[in-house]
Every structure is written in structure tokens, then in C-alpha cells.
Amino acid sequence: MKGAKLIHRTPSAYEYPLLIKQLLHTPILYAPGQEIIYRELVRYTYRDLYARINRLASALTSLGVKPGDTVAVLDWDSHRYLECFYAVPMLGAILHTVNIRLSPEQILYTMNHAEDTVVLVHEDFLPLLEDLAGKLETVRTFILLKDDSESPATALPVSTEYEEMMAGADDSFDFPDFHEDTQATVFYTTGTTGDPKGVYFSHRQLVLHTLSSGVALGSFKEPRLQSGDVYMPITPMFHVHAWGMPYLATLLGVKQIYPGQYEAERLLRLIEKERVTFSHCVPTLLHMMLTDPLAREIDLTGWKVNIGGSALSKGLAMDAAGRGIEVVAGYGMSETCPVLTISILKPEMLDWDMEQKLDVQRKAGFPIPLVDLEVVDDTGRLLPKDGKSAGEIVVRTPEPQKSEELWKGGWLHTGDIATIDEEGYVQITDRLKDVIKTGGEWVSSLDIENLISQHEAVSEVAVVGVNDEKWGERPIAVMVPKPGREGGVAEKEIKAFLEKFVEEGVISKWAVPNRIYVVDEIPKTSVGKMDKKEIKKLLENS
């Protein structure tokens, strides 16, 4: 800008790059004795965490890891993973969080594409890598991760075991400075077609996302993630760094619980034993936990759960609130690090009744600090914030990573359809690819799912559009009944339930599905979302 003046640093001034290592300054001073826990197996302090991060960096360096190398991890959510979140990128190396729920062929593709050189592998995944070992093009070292005292037999050429390696390493390491735009991590998401797509982030992007999320979650009345909380992720650490929350939890010095493999009973026991107060997950995982018989025996009052990944139905939200759980929705993309919005209540809303609050908290929310978000029509024109005008979400943030084809007019185009109301809250109405075009009218699959979810017999529901010769597409629903209602829910019962909303003008007659199938299970993606691509394929081939 003409006339603007830059501030020039004195030659001796430290430029302070935004590096992941800077996130550790506060917790090791503020909360050195705070606990980090892995299942019932490991319990140590932040002081120990810092020493172990140094040891891991020393050990990896002795194994030949250098800046620019890629270190892969195949593990359940653990203290070891948290150590890797820091030590690997702090070396200037790249952390590849391998999506263990991909197919073996896809995992092989991602490891070769990322050019992994060192692989830390949990014993549960040894058979997988034994089958792939001869096809891994760049891997030179395997490090075993195990939970039991005995080491499993394996044909994999394992160089060392993690704890043995750590025991012999130096607990002091001089982490270097480098440019804040240095790549820190890489992970892979499943695309609608073709091979998994790689997403990578720099140190600067991860640090800014941590700070923005921290302001959004800690500075307003609800939801709250503050130093006195007890944190347990229920979003896999391989998926967008567990939404970036372990970085924030560590920065704040909170007590952290890592549950390993997600099993409903284990998660519920840990919530009860460790008094967990803050988690995050996709709706299907919350549903899995609340439908487990143990959930009826445990007091979940005061547990705060940030829901993302897909829409939070009113039925699930009401069920959670009835158990004393504070559910709050959010929205983001893998390519935005990922959090963009959180549905924080404004002060004047805090005294509302439960149902009024949930109507707000189920929305995607409003943008967290440093996020500039708008809704536009197909010409790129900004739409009014009236809660009615639906268009595509476009966004600018300090930390997005996205291929050039989705940038247009200086905005990242998300492919998500939404409205923004007068209060600034974003309401996702559908994915652009999931909007059902029937009889010349657009129907939101999310709206139909939300209404069906409120039926007393419905446990889970998904709605997709299938090809129709006459109308182009028609909505079809698949639903899982609640326990005790198997075989006792008729299609006509659900349709009659929806007809009431047609009469009230909530939905049009076109939105009532042609068919409603009762199923035992709904297909899910590798991160627990409803797999609408697979559902649609099964319906069209049936």
C-alpha cells in the first residue's frame, strides 16, 4: 500500500518464527506436574513429556533422520503419538500420520507418495506392514510400538523397540530454528474417486490454528477448553491431527487422556475414572457411546463434546443433552487445519431453555478468530445474512492448504451449502454433491435426516439421492432402529411422521423419501462419517 511504512528489525533482534516448538514454552512452566495418561498403562507428567520429546528427537537423529525426511506413524491414540506430534516436526522433519483405516493398497500408496523413511508401527499393524514391506519404496527403518512387555514375533525388519530406543537416548536436544513455512505434517484423505489425496501443513499454519482455536474455545462462555479441563480426543490422531486439539490441550497444560483404540466401554470407563470434561468426535462415535449399555450406568453430566465431521441431528443432540452432556457443533475441512466455525452461544442466549440452545448449538456456528467466511451464489455474489439465502461457503484463513483448482476470486471454495443468519451463525444445509435435485427442486438430505432422527424409534439415519427416470433424483433413506424396535418400525410409520412436517410447511412433499429401508448398520468412512457414496452405490445396485 502506497505510503505504508514497514518496521525494520534491529540486526540483533530474534525474528521469532512460528514453530511448533514455541507451543511448549507455556505448559512446561505452567503445568510441569500435570498428568498425561494412556489407557490404564501409562501415567506421566508434562515434565516427562518434554524430556521424552527431547529423547525421541535424539533417537531419531541417531537413526539418520534429517530435516525434510518423512517419519510415518501407525498407532492408536497414545502418548507416543503426542510425542511424535512435537518431536518429528521440531526436527525439521515431516510427520506422516498414516490413516490406518484405509485399505492396504491405499496405505501403501500414501506411504510411497509421502516418501516415508522411518516408520513407527504399533504391534497391531505388524501383519499389515509385513504384507506391504516388499513394496515400500523409501522406508529404511521400522520402530516397534507395543503395549505389552513381550515383543511379538514379526517378519518385519524392526530396528528397535520404542521404549528401548527412548531409554538409551539423550533427554536434551537443541531444536533448531528454521523458516515457519517449513512443512510439518502430511496426511491423506479419501477422495470420491482415485487415490487418497495428500494434505500438508506448515509450522506457521499449525501454530496459528492452535491460537485461533484456543481463543474461540477458551475466551467465550461456551464451549470451554481451559487449563482446568480434562481432555480426551475421540477423533483419531491420524485425522487432521485430531482436529488440532492435542496441540491446544498441550499449550494449555490440561490433563490429557489418550484412549488407544476406540471401544465404547473403554471410552466410557475412562470418562468416569479420569473425570473427562472435554472431547470431540463425529456424531456416529457419540451415538456409539450413548447406545452402549454402560452409558446408562455412568453419570455424563458436565461432559463437553464438540461435534464435527457431519451434521449433528436434533435427535442425537436431544439424547445427549438429556444425559447432561453439553454438545456443541463445529465445522471445518481437512484443508483448513481444520476448524473454521464453532457454535458458541452469545451471552443473551445462556438463559434460554435447552431446546432453544440446542437449535443454536446444532448449527455450524460462527467463524473462529482470523477466519473470514461468506456464502455466495453460483456467480460469486455475496448472499445476505438472513438465514434463508443458501449458497456455497467460501473462506479465507491464515492456514488453508488447498489445490489451485478450488481457489477462485481469492476465496477457498468449500463445496458446502449453507446460510448465515442475522446473528452470524452458519447453518450447513448440505454438501454441494449431496443436494438432491428432484422434480426441478433442491432438497437437503441433512434436513430430511434431521427430521427422521427425531422419531422415537430411530437410532441412526442417512438420506441420499438416487437416480430416477421421471424426476431426475429421488431421496431414499436408510435407518437403524433403536434397541428393542428392530423389526417393529414400518416404513409407513416414518412416512406418516414426515407428512406432519409437510402439512406444517417445514418441508415440501418432494422431500419425503420414496423408500425408507430399515437396516442393521449404515456404512461409515474411515473417520466414522456416514459413507453416502457407498450407501448410494448399494441402493442403486440393489
Side-chain angles (χ1 to χ4, degrees), residues 338-357:
V339 180
L340 291 172
T341 68
I342 299 174
S343 202
I344 300 163
L345 293 177
K346 295 184 178 182
E348 64 270 19
M349 301 173 180
L350 297 176
D351 293 329
W352 289 1
D353 64 36
M354 183 180 74
E355 191 160 354
Q356 285 179 301
K357 287 182 179 180

Side-chain angles (χ1 to χ4, degrees), residues 165-386:
M165 176 185 75
M166 295 283 275
D170 193 339
D171 64 2
S172 178
F173 190 89
D174 185 16
F175 289 103
D177 277 355
F178 38 78
H179 199 284
E180 62 187 24
D181 288 330
T182 298
Q183 184 179 343
T185 63
V186 64
F187 63 93
Y188 289 77
T189 64
T190 51
T192 53
T193 59
D195 294 318
K197 305 299 189 294
V199 182
Y200 54 86
F201 287 103
S202 70
H203 284 254
R204 169 186 165 84
Q205 289 167 327
L206 290 170
V207 169
L208 286 172
H209 181 269
T210 301
L211 298 178
S212 294
S213 300
V215 171
L217 287 168
S219 300
F220 302 101
K221 289 286 186 180
E222 295 183 9
R224 299 171 301 280
L225 176 57
Q226 298 176 328
S227 60
D229 275 298
V230 179
Y231 166 72
M232 183 174 75
I234 318 178
T235 304
M237 298 180 83
F238 68 70
H239 182 57
V240 209
H241 329 101
W243 297 351
M245 290 299 109
Y247 285 120
L248 176 55
T250 303
L251 172 66
L252 296 176
V254 307
K255 181 178 177 180
Q256 301 185 55
I257 318 296
Y258 289 91
Q261 188 173 6
Y262 296 161
E263 298 168 354
E265 183 175 348
R266 175 185 294 164
L267 294 170
L268 290 165
R269 292 292 185 199
L270 285 170
I271 291 169
E272 180 182 46
K273 179 182 178 183
E274 304 297 343
R275 299 183 179 179
V276 174
T277 62
F278 188 94
S279 298
H280 48 82
C281 62
V282 295
T284 49
L285 273 170
L286 179 60
H287 173 267
M288 176 190 79
M289 296 173 66
L290 295 186
T291 53
D292 190 271
L294 183 60
R296 293 293 177 185
E297 302 174 18
I298 290 177
D299 183 6
L300 298 173
T301 303
W303 182 35
K304 296 167 287 189
V305 183
N306 194 3
I307 295 292
S310 54
L312 173 60
S313 71
K314 188 167 185 177
L316 181 58
M318 293 290 286
D319 188 11
R323 316 277 187 100
I325 302 168
E326 298 179 44
V327 287
V328 176
Y331 164 71
M333 301 173 64
S334 295
E335 295 85 356
T336 57
C337 212
V339 180
L340 291 172
T341 68
I342 299 174
S343 202
I344 300 163
L345 293 177
K346 295 184 178 182
E348 64 270 19
M349 301 173 180
L350 297 176
D351 293 329
W352 289 1
D353 64 36
M354 183 180 74
E355 191 160 354
Q356 285 179 301
K357 287 182 179 180
L358 284 179
D359 284 342
V360 174
Q361 291 171 318
R362 286 180 43 250
K363 294 181 179 180
F366 56 82
I368 67 173
L370 305 184
V371 170
D372 185 9
L373 184 149
E374 298 286 352
V375 169
V376 301
D377 64 16
D378 55 8
T379 69
R381 180 178 63 91
L382 296 182
L383 294 176
K385 296 177 173 61
D386 57 9

Side-chain angles (χ1 to χ4, degrees), residues 135-154:
K135 302 175 185 177
L136 291 170
E137 298 168 356
T138 55
V139 175
R140 62 173 186 259
T141 304
F142 293 95
I143 299 169
L144 174 65
L145 311 175
K146 63 187 180 76
D147 295 330
D148 299 321
S149 57
E150 297 295 323
S151 293
T154 178

